[in-house]
Amino acid sequence: MIKIICVGKIKEKFFQEAIKEYTKRLSKYTKLEIIEVEDMKGDNPQVIMNKEKDLILKKISDKDYIITLEIEGKELSSKDFSKYLDQTFLNHSNITFIIGGSYGLDPQIKEMSHFKLSFSKMTFPHQLFRVLLLEQIYRSYKISHNESYHK
């Protein structure tokens, strides 16, 4: 099972449609759960990340293998990401991806992470990033099943 915990809701219809499409495609390969926690407001980034941390922690279970999405994380090619997921599923039945809010992830969440993943040193809107993550997860399943998918 793959769980994606993300801060904030998707408001834009075109992002909602893309997420819906990749969720449908992934249903052939795995159970997928997307959990949205509230995007906190305020002036103090540390206070906001701390509040978001508390919401995220409520959605994590002891059996989750946690992959945090962090700009400081390790970059992988799509093939290497596919291999990594395959290897991880050999020992863990649940992989949980965590996408932080606009200020990132609280240090406590980062410390819990089993693997820190970066897609790029660039900054992406969180709504778009959710689509990118789903696409890469879908691509990894296509690669691991030796199925064709446009390059």
Side-chain angles (χ1 to χ4, degrees):
M1 173 183 181
I2 291 180
K3 181 164 55 174
I4 300 173
I5 301 172
C6 30
V7 175
K9 296 201 177 296
I10 301 293
K11 297 172 185 80
E12 297 86 354
K13 186 139 179 78
F14 52 92
F15 286 137
Q16 291 173 353
E17 291 299 319
I19 290 166
K20 187 173 161 185
E21 177 63 26
Y22 282 111
T23 298
K24 183 179 92 177
R25 290 182 186 191
L26 280 164
S27 68
K28 173 181 174 183
Y29 303 103
T30 189
K31 184 175 181 211
L32 174 70
E33 181 180 10
I34 298 174
I35 300 169
E36 296 176 333
V37 299
E38 186 180 352
D39 187 6
M40 305 308 278
K41 307 290 183 231
D43 295 331
N44 186 324
Q46 190 54 51
V47 170
I48 290 170
M49 285 190 298
N50 189 43
K51 288 179 180 178
E52 291 171 349
K53 171 201 70 175
D54 292 340
L55 297 173
I56 291 168
L57 287 174
K58 291 177 184 174
K59 305 300 181 183
I60 297 173
S61 79
D62 291 339
K63 61 184 176 178
D64 290 345
Y65 181 89
I66 299 169
I67 299 175
T68 49
L69 286 298
E70 304 181 33
I71 202 163
E72 311 87 10
K74 182 172 175 66
E75 292 183 31
L76 300 173
S77 69
S78 293
K79 285 185 179 181
D80 288 339
F81 181 59
S82 179
K83 287 179 198 170
Y84 185 81
L85 288 183
D86 284 346
Q87 287 298 116
T88 303
F89 272 124
L90 292 176
N91 298 310
H92 304 277
S93 58
N94 294 335
I95 296 178
T96 298
F97 292 90
I98 302 176
I99 303 171
S102 53
Y103 292 111
L105 291 168
D106 185 88
Q108 185 180 343
I109 298 290
K110 290 181 177 188
E111 288 171 20
M112 295 175 66
S113 180
H114 297 101
F115 186 75
K116 296 166 184 5
L117 177 65
S118 175
F119 276 25
S120 170
K121 297 295 180 207
M122 295 180 179
T123 302
F124 297 102
H126 287 79
Q127 302 89 333
L128 176 60
F129 192 78
R130 198 179 311 180
V131 176
L132 291 172
L133 175 60
L134 286 167
E135 191 281 332
Q136 284 300 301
I137 294 169
Y138 175 69
R139 183 179 295 273
S140 75
Y141 275 101
K142 296 295 272 185
I143 290 168
S144 68
H145 286 84
N146 294 315
E147 297 173 0
S148 63
Y149 185 56
H150 62 312
K151 296 178 183 180

